[in-house]
Amino acid sequence: MTVAERLKKHCPKPIYDCTYRELYAGISQMVNEMIAERKPEPCQKKLYYVSAEFLIGKLLVSNLLSLGIYDQVERLLTENGKSLNEVEGAEEEPSLGNGGLGRLAACFMDSVAALNLCGDGIGLCYRFGLFKQVFEENRQTEQPNPWMDTSSFLEKGRRSYEIPCGDTVLHSREYTISVVGEKRVNALHLFDLETVDETLVEEGILYDKAQIEKNLTLFLYPDDSDEAGKLLRLYQQYFMVANGARLILDECRERGGNLRRLYDYAVIQINDTHPVLMIPELIYLLVKEGIGIREATEIVKKTCAYTNHTILAEALECWPLAMMRKVVPHLVPMIQVLDEWTKKKYSNPKVAIIDADNRVQMANLAIHNTFSINGVAFLHTEILKHSELNHFYQIYPERFNNKTNGITFRRWLTQCNPDLDAFLCRTIGDRFRKDPSALEDLLAHAKDKKVLEELLIIKQANKRRLCEYLPWELNENSIFDIQIKRLHEYKRQQLNLLYLIDRYLSIKAGKLPSMPITAIFGAKAAPAYTIAKDIIHLILCMQELTENDSEVSPYLRVAMVENYNVTSASRLIPACEVSQQISLASKEASGTGNMKLMLNGAITLGTEDGANVEIHRLVGDDNIYIFGARAETVLKRYGEKSYVAREYYETVPELKRAVDFITGDKLCSVGNRQCLKRLQNELIEKDWFMTFPDFAAYKETRNAVYSDYQDRMEWAKKMLVNIAMAGYFSSDRTIMEYNTQLWKLK
Ligand SMILES: *Cc1c(COP(=O)(O)O)cnc(C)c1O
């Protein structure tokens, strides 16, 4: 059957008469039908990637590409006066993730399927997902994001379990989303609550946090600033792993496996600490099957691997034993036994599972009971081994390894930047699709003026398209300087802002930049993270000031996209020229936004942090702009507690001028004085992520970037080198490393 014949079956009217909603429904039904026709590939051993988040983005186009029918569908639509772009517009993005960690899980699932490996994801089906960000009066507000209503790739699964939770039993319902590779279809198993009640939600994202049997799967990362919220998060974590564990054991049995050799049938990659309860839960279930607890622990240890994502102290999760008793009373004896064993062997309190305050240290629980502990970029793993987790590295040196993160080029090149993709195929052939390192063939064209000009033309077209997509009148001939990532003080959006304020003040003083600048932000802040929300407030106030001041707007615009997500990322990234990766050195484990932007020909302005270190090594000093304190210096400063922000404030005049501006009349006329004052105080009195010491170097380096930008051919050459060297950051490479070194599938 041809694609045209197939589609006809699923559309109520001829294509040219259909609405875009009808076309979306018809095409996605057709896609589901074609996926269902694929024969399942049998597999002996299977990967289970367990993650609280899967930030997968829209699926229509990637499924069409994976099925190999994208061109046919596009042509069919065009012939009927319709555009595939508009069809995609009718799709709602699944709201199942928050940031880099969730997007990594999505890229990994894509690569696992593309490499024809057997591997599924396990997570939760959050009805309202992460909140939807809405700006009101220059501030972030939060709304529910009911993405499931229109989602046609989410299918009801066949599994449902009874999960004992605290003093009740919860009933689960499996949903699945197919992950389509060229040769195989894997699955994302997302568990929902049979009894979930969406009407519980009152205003915004407020609801009764105590009614677990109704609220458990309503939102990702519910506000945990009170006790009920904390308990809810623990219930969610347990619900996820309890369902996952049952699914894994069931599948092992279905394949005729012996649970005593679970590791021959399953490998479980635990994404950060949220799914760590998988370990005691599996031990518990195996013990129930009649296996002794020692043997059960050994089986689980040989099956599970743990990925560490952060060294931020606040993110090293721990749960009071008292809370564990409420939520998972049956696991407490398991955890206590594991704790006793380790305390007998190791006296260092830093490696205890239950600490002196009777809290369960989730990372410690994982490290003792998994066969692999990996960091997500070279520098991050080094810091884990030699500083943050050194006490563990001394015990288990062989368990520590690095897996530098990656991104799927299918979404972050082919799909989001078709012009660049086509240019690459024209210039170096399509070998890079199977072997991403083949992008280096582009280096042979580094002096080819025509090639360089073409790169600039593609970038310009993407900038124009972005301008059409965004709600402001922006100057497509200005420099597009972009910082898109979660709002967090360690990522230092505030440093970017201090530069922009300084620029604004210079313009007001008559010192005009030689090139107009458009600074674009995209970021959500956690609803209870006050300072992060104050930073968003300041960005939005600067947006208003630069938009409405005719002395400034021709030279400087600040713009912040609402509800930054995968869909907007796919528009912003191809249009970016300067990629802001300015985290405080040692704090960004890897970053993956940096890789997406590099691949799309943006030049990195960054600190020597996370995967920026590897980008720097690959492209060399001439093709990246690095500034600021190195990780060693930062760790030393923290160690000595020697940093005093106020000293910089008082001795660097331009810095003082910018900081003072935050509460000046200009900003207070468009913003809220209290919020702005709170932010200013935080900076002067604390500045925990050390923006002030890096300010002067940042300003100087950023000015150098803008100055170098003007030599268009030299700039295009930098773009070319970045694209050519990005192959290393393909998640196909990362997944092959996981597989050959850890998972050993096939
Ligand atoms: C890639 C991505 C991120 C991660 O960005 P970082 O700069 O690495 O923090 C976050 N959100 C979305 C939507 C992304 O696509």
Side-chain angles (χ1 to χ4, degrees), residues 55 98-100 103 412 484-486 491 564-566 569 581 588 591-594 596:
L55 191 52
N98 163 44
R103 185 54 232 175
W412 298 112
I484 39 176
K485 46 185 75 256
R486 284 304 302 254
K491 293 178 180 280
Y564 174 60
N565 59 11
V566 176
Q581 307 297 339
E588 185 74 271
T592 50
N594 46 2
K596 299 167 199 166

Side-chain angles (χ1 to χ4, degrees), residues 219-442:
F219 287 96
L220 168 62
Y221 299 141
D223 172 18
D224 63 350
S225 52
D226 61 6
E227 182 80 3
K230 285 194 181 65
L231 273 174
L232 174 52
R233 284 209 191 185
L234 189 55
Y235 274 112
Q236 285 190 326
Q237 294 188 358
Y238 176 64
F239 189 71
M240 170 171 74
V241 304
N243 280 291
R246 282 158 182 75
L247 173 104
I248 292 166
L249 296 184
D250 280 355
E251 289 199 336
C252 176
R253 290 190 197 96
E254 285 162 18
R255 288 206 294 277
N258 173 355
L259 295 184
R260 288 200 143 84
R261 299 190 64 88
L262 181 63
Y263 42 82
D264 286 340
Y265 296 86
V267 56
I268 302 171
Q269 190 70 45
I270 297 175
N271 197 24
D272 210 343
T273 53
H274 320 111
V276 165
L277 284 178
M278 178 63 93
I279 292 165
E281 178 71 2
L282 274 175
I283 296 174
Y284 173 81
L285 293 173
L286 291 177
V287 168
K288 261 199 0 192
E289 294 289 322
I291 299 174
I293 187 165
R294 282 267 178 198
E295 189 186 352
T297 305
E298 284 308 309
I299 295 168
V300 172
K301 192 185 295 177
K302 284 186 189 165
T303 310
C304 295
Y306 159 64
T307 302
N308 176 289
H309 278 272
T310 180
I311 56 167
L312 289 179
E314 77 211 38
L316 285 178
E317 255 193 315
C318 58
W319 294 101
L321 217 45
M323 270 194 189
M324 290 271 186
R325 284 204 182 88
K326 273 193 194 155
V327 178
V328 283
H330 66 292
L331 293 186
V332 172
M334 299 289 134
I335 295 170
Q336 282 171 328
V337 169
L338 296 174
D339 177 57
E340 275 164 31
W341 289 345
T342 53
K343 281 200 176 120
K344 261 195 206 126
K345 272 178 127 168
Y346 311 107
S347 57
N348 185 353
K350 280 184 171 169
V351 304
I353 293 175
I354 301 176
D355 68 16
D357 298 323
N358 261 324
R359 293 173 311 186
V360 181
Q361 294 290 335
M362 302 303 273
N364 296 10
L365 176 56
I367 295 167
H368 284 298
N369 296 290
T370 50
F371 71 87
S372 158
I373 299 125
N374 77 281
V376 290
F378 170 77
L379 177 68
H380 172 56
T381 304
E382 289 302 304
I383 293 174
L384 290 182
K385 289 196 297 196
H386 302 298
S387 163
E388 221 63 21
L389 296 180
N390 179 256
H391 39 288
F392 280 111
Y393 183 56
Q394 296 198 13
I395 303 178
Y396 307 119
E398 73 291 347
R399 290 190 195 175
F400 281 76
N401 62 94
N402 176 246
K403 295 286 167 287
T404 297
N405 282 167
I407 55 170
T408 168
F409 287 15
R410 288 167 289 278
R411 183 173 292 266
W412 298 112
L413 174 62
T414 308
Q415 213 176 306
C416 78
N417 200 343
D419 289 359
L420 182 59
D421 187 75
F423 157 83
L424 289 169
C425 288
R426 273 199 311 276
T427 314
I428 56 169
D430 66 357
R431 205 161 63 86
F432 70 89
R433 293 207 200 288
K434 286 276 175 285
D435 172 14
S437 70
L439 282 176
E440 284 179 37
D441 293 351
L442 200 57

